[in-house]
Amino acid sequence: MALIVQKYGGSSVADADSIKRVARRIIETKNAGNDVAVVVSAMGDTTDDLIDQALSIDSDPPAREMDMLMTAGERISMSLLAMAIHAAGSHAYSFTGSQAGFMTDAQFGAAHIRAVKPDRVRRALDLGSVAIVAGFQGRNERGDATTLGRGGSDTSAVALAVALDADICEIYTDVDGIFTADPRIVPTARRIPSIGYDEILEMSSCGSKVLALRCVEYAQRFKMPLHVRSSFSHRPGTLVVPDGVDPNTLPNI
């Protein structure tokens, strides 16, 4: 049995059918004998829509209120995903970033994680349930909601995996792993089966959008293996592994 943290991006939970598909995938992972914690992004273009609504009301909205607003998107997707898992015959608890124990600094809009104390997530896992956490968010020491900036859900997933001492963190997106170029633009791009942290950091710093830079830095610091996969297929994806780790020893490949 492995403890696996899975992260699903906005394109993976863009609508009701997508959420149901993700729920089935999570249940498959759990039924294979694994404990599963999940981090989700907001559905589709929800975050951009919220920003547009805010700017239509105030061209310079207060940063604190923007963060309060921005956390709403992930709350919607986490709740709907928990409902989909329940409807499919399993059980899940959903948690906001604050409820999941994500403590950050006070930099609204681009907060940094200071600590993760996932006590409620652990209790849900101990009960045999799936734990679903809203990505991209936490709270500061005053109790205000904060957001981690673009790509923050990736960072949330890695931080949760580290705090839970998970075996691996799976990052689900809309491409089949990490490629030598964007396969949606370059048809001849090749999938990279496994890659080290330094190489993926260089790719991220040069503009690759597969993984957020802070997410990879966090994973490297704590030597958390990552598995970048598509939520739309069961292809192998790409493993991001610490030096000296045999990719074949990692779970759920």
Side-chain angles (χ1 to χ4, degrees):
M1 176 184 291
L3 171 53
I4 298 173
V5 172
Q6 298 182 336
K7 180 263 178 177
Y8 292 92
S11 60
S12 298
V13 292
D15 52 35
D17 287 340
S18 298
I19 289 172
K20 291 176 183 177
R21 183 182 63 249
V22 166
R24 290 193 295 270
R25 184 153 201 156
I26 292 167
I27 293 171
E28 286 174 8
T29 305
K30 182 164 177 52
N31 288 345
N34 304 297
D35 289 329
V36 187
V38 178
V39 173
V40 288
S41 298
M43 298 170 64
D45 296 325
T46 299
T47 299
D48 290 336
D49 292 342
L50 290 172
I51 292 171
D52 290 343
Q53 290 181 55
L55 295 178
S56 72
I57 292 171
D58 184 348
S59 61
D60 186 22
R64 178 186 182 277
E65 303 311 322
M66 279 299 289
D67 271 16
M68 288 289 285
L69 178 65
M70 290 298 96
T71 60
E74 282 73 18
R75 291 178 66 139
I76 293 169
S77 54
M78 76 179 195
S79 302
L80 292 175
L81 182 55
M83 294 175 193
I85 289 172
H86 179 267
S90 192
H91 190 271
Y93 289 99
S94 66
F95 302 100
T96 65
S98 175
Q99 291 171 330
F102 279 78
M103 304 299 299
T104 76
D105 61 19
Q107 187 175 350
F108 294 115
H112 289 79
I113 297 169
R114 293 298 185 221
V116 183
K117 301 176 181 179
D119 297 340
R120 296 185 70 180
V121 174
R122 289 186 189 278
R123 287 199 292 271
L125 296 174
D126 289 343
L127 290 171
S129 297
V130 174
I132 303 171
V133 176
F136 174 67
Q137 61 184 255
R139 67 181 176 93
N140 62 27
E141 61 182 10
R142 297 183 61 182
D144 291 327
T146 56
T147 65
L148 307 181
R150 288 292 184 181
S153 290
D154 286 357
T155 308
S156 297
V158 174
L160 181 63
V162 169
L164 292 172
D165 194 24
D167 295 282
I168 197 166
C169 179
E170 297 183 331
I171 306 291
Y172 284 91
T173 180
D174 55 0
V175 293
D176 292 321
I178 299 170
F179 285 73
T180 52
D182 189 336
R184 291 165 295 194
I185 300 173
V186 183
T188 57
R190 293 178 291 104
R191 180 181 62 86
I192 303 169
S194 64
I195 192 171
Y197 294 123
D198 289 338
E199 290 86 354
I200 193 63
L201 277 171
E202 184 175 351
M203 291 175 69
S204 296
S205 65
C206 291
S208 172
K209 297 180 180 179
V210 176
L211 289 173
L213 185 62
R214 273 202 289 172
C215 152
V216 183
E217 290 173 339
Y218 206 112
Q220 183 179 42
R221 189 185 319 152
F222 295 98
K223 298 184 178 180
M224 174 57 61
L226 307 178
H227 195 175
V228 182
R229 311 180 70 177
S230 171
S231 64
F232 299 91
S233 76
H234 283 78
R235 295 189 179 97
T238 298
L239 286 160
V240 184
V241 295
D243 290 340
V245 171
D246 181 357
N248 295 313
T249 65
L250 297 174
N252 202 35
I253 295 176

